[in-house]
Amino acid sequence: MSLEALESDADSGQDVSEYNWDDYLEETGALSVPHHAFKHVDQGLETGLTPGMKLEVCVRTETETAYWVATIITTCGQLLLLRYEGYQDDRRADFWCDIMTADLHPIGWSKQQGRPMRPPEGVREKHQDWEALLEKALAESCSVPASLLEGAQRGCNPIDLLSPGLNVELVDRQDAEVVWSAVIEENIAGRLRLRYAGTDGLPDTKSITWVFYLDPLLHLPGWAQEHSCTLRPPGALLALRTEAEWEEVKKTVSSQVQDSSINEEFYRDRSAINPHCFTEGMKLEAVDPAAPFTISPATVKKVFNDHFFLVQMDDMRNEAQKEGGGRSFLCHRDSPGIFPTQWTLKNGVKLSPPPGFQGQDFDWADYLKQCEAEAAPQQCFPPDPSDQCIKESMMLEAVNPLCPENIHVATVTKVKGQHMWIRLEGLKQAIPEIIVHTDSMDIFPVSWCETNGYPLLHPRKPRVEKQRKVAVVQPEKHRVPSKDSSPDTTKQQINSSQAEMGQANGKYCCPKIYFNHRCFSGPYLNKGRIAELPQCVGPGNCVLVLKEVLTLLINSAYKPSRVLRELQLDQEGRWQGHGETLKAKYKGKSYRATVEIVRTADQVADFCRKTCIKLECCPNLFGPRMVLERCSENCSVLTKTKYTYYYGKKKSKRVGRPPGGHSNLEGGVKRRGRRRKRRKQLFVHKKRRSSASVDNTPAGSPQGSGDEEDLDEDDSLSEDTGSELQDELMDDSEYSEKKSQPPTPSPSPPETPRPTRRRRKARSPSCSDDENRPPSPKSPRTEVPPKLCLDSSPLEWSVTDVVRFIRTTDCAPLARIFMDQEIDGQALLLLNLPTVQECMDLKLGPAIKLCHQIERVKLAFYQQFASSG
């Protein structure tokens, strides 16, 4: 098939409807190309601020406003994690700030402005001679460039600076000495749609080109004049206007002035072009960029300078020889698609002979003799890296080289060295596999199009109509198709939803949603996992952003299936928003539920707040407002019991599903006679005080959120065993919270005096009052561990010392956690059972065993060091 025929079919028969990568990868078992393989995507998100850089930050106190030196520890978009100078490796005082709102300046700014420099109180306590510390920091610092903290570039990445309407210059693809102007019409996360100057009203096929902002041929206005290049439109455009018309356009182009404020940022992420050693007439193997389907012989046609040369595809046909040969393209040393001779033979790849070649088998030795040419030596080409993370059958998104405006679902079919063969999906008539470099800027990770609001073309397939009113969290393997709605009705709902999502105006644009991990996380969400989430998600389409936020929250839960149940769509449909199917995995089972998400920006804040209240967490845990220091809800000073009393949902005494939800795990049939093995209750350093009351916590406290498989709709707590059943059904985190609550008096008069000594209680298999009696003399007693004698104060222990101690106990397998979380002696003394369970993600048994060892250290510390200190 000819190239023209391929181009005519390249954009036909494609489906641009909504495509769910997660569903596809799960159904097929395929893997996506790792995100870190796309270096050009990550570079566009960097602001130029890197860990290790220093700056001056405002330190406000009640009496004065001063400045102090801080070091950048981590960056997350426009958010910086800073550490004051003087804390060295102590990360306890690290703090986040927004570069757009914080009072930040380069090193030396305070001295120039006559502002005082004074450290925060914590640094003054550590360093009495802090003036010397300041002098050393100012002398040795690697300061943040002033341009990154001031003016229009403050907090911006290079992509943000390339706004539509900006003029640029583009080097001709066939002549390194020719440059022409273009204007940015669209910027899709760094992928620029350019219109050549003077082509208004001309067909887009000639006047539009697509480049990534890191393309070495892209420059700012004025570059051509500085490098003595000729201003002339590309050859394909010359015949479309008269010479006089082009001269008028040239005058306008020549008057364009470069914006010096973005010059440094524009070129900051560019890789340097290495000098080459090619000479004219050398032979090599190459992929034709205009039709990148095969590898064929080619020739170095012209050398422009130390950096650029022209490669021409060999064409031995008579008509091609008369026209000067085959298609040519500009290259530099590291250009993709050029190889030394014999590369295809060594890598088992077919080499296509040049058009017009006479003979059955192509042989490079005979061909070089026939052409009286020499092969380009191996040292002219960059070495192939040994490590390669892209494998066959992986999935990605790729630009169609025949229709550059189209991006397709793509599959890697073969990888050889730094090049891979990929198959584009979604074409009416398939084109051959295209050959691309692994560092190509025309390939992107999965969901790149969805993230940036660009249509992704994918193959048509029979659509599985989904019932939007499904409101039950259920394992996928038990799913039953709904019979309540016809396919036509559901199809109309889906089409309507897609039409609404397609609108990209401000009404449907969601602001950034921040995760304020310092706020109260409630009984369902793991605070440690919340702290590991990105600082924010968005901005973007409301449905996409909020779906990502809810997915992250579900995955941050102690029990993702429980949170999914809390979020599921109720029958009221009060939001009348967009129904999205969310998934959760827990204990090897997959769950899904339909969650309704708002579609417009004016509903986002209220949606986030009400969702927080539904999850019984602080209403500011996530939302469009970032909590910098103190939460307006003052959630940090309330205990979990008090907080859920004010913000939690009022729960019935039943332990089971929320009203209106019916789990199919039991199939609607009540289990009979199933008993769970009771846990042995172990208590550390506290005396147990039991209660026979059914509910000894305020309304709204977390109860009965155990494993869904063990809950029946008609389960209720009997009066004499309610407290014990609660303990068994509660989540580990909820269990620890319940034990930390103050006990309530028993409603029945005690018949047996309570034990006053600490002991380990053995639970009998039956429920009786004997459990509260002291053990009989014949019952085995727990051995009292030997008294711990410490050689040094735990306050002085380093992380290594703590790990060394843990390894000497029966909790040695947990030593890795202490090393990973950098827990030193001071942090060790602050640990308790709820903290251990939450931060270390331990079950109750291991957590109690670990707390027992921590209590031994605390007791020894108090006896040996506290009294003398």
Side-chain angles (χ1 to χ4, degrees), residues 132-252:
L133 178 68
L134 176 61
E135 292 180 6
K136 182 180 178 182
L138 295 177
E140 299 177 355
S141 66
C142 175
S143 176
V144 173
S147 60
L148 300 182
L149 298 176
E150 301 169 356
Q153 299 179 37
R154 183 183 180 100
C156 294
N157 56 51
I159 292 178
D160 295 333
L161 303 176
L162 302 175
S163 56
L166 180 70
N167 291 305
V168 292
E169 292 182 349
L170 195 62
V171 177
D172 193 298
R173 298 286 177 181
Q174 296 181 338
D175 193 337
E177 298 174 348
V178 174
V179 177
W180 192 240
S181 178
V183 63
I184 299 176
E185 287 196 340
E186 198 172 2
N187 180 353
I188 311 297
R191 189 165 187 259
L192 308 178
R193 184 179 192 264
L194 305 180
R195 178 177 292 276
Y196 285 113
T199 60
D200 294 337
L202 297 180
D204 287 351
T205 54
K206 300 290 186 180
S207 57
I208 297 296
T209 186
W210 288 82
V211 299
F212 201 74
Y213 85 101
L214 294 174
D215 193 312
L217 302 184
L218 184 68
H219 301 282
L220 293 176
W223 184 89
Q225 185 176 357
E226 292 178 7
H227 293 79
S228 303
C229 293
T230 303
L231 271 176
R232 189 178 69 214
L237 297 177
L238 285 174
L240 302 179
R241 299 226 186 260
T242 64
E243 185 175 349
E245 289 174 332
W246 285 122
E247 284 297 324
E248 289 297 322
V249 176
K250 184 177 178 180
K251 292 179 182 179
T252 304

Side-chain angles (χ1 to χ4, degrees), residues 283-307:
K283 293 288 185 178
L284 64 157
E285 297 177 353
V287 176
D288 185 356
F293 313 120
T294 59
I295 301 178
S296 300
T299 306
V300 177
K301 191 68 174 178
K302 182 179 181 179
V303 174
F304 295 101
N305 48 45
D306 291 341
H307 297 99

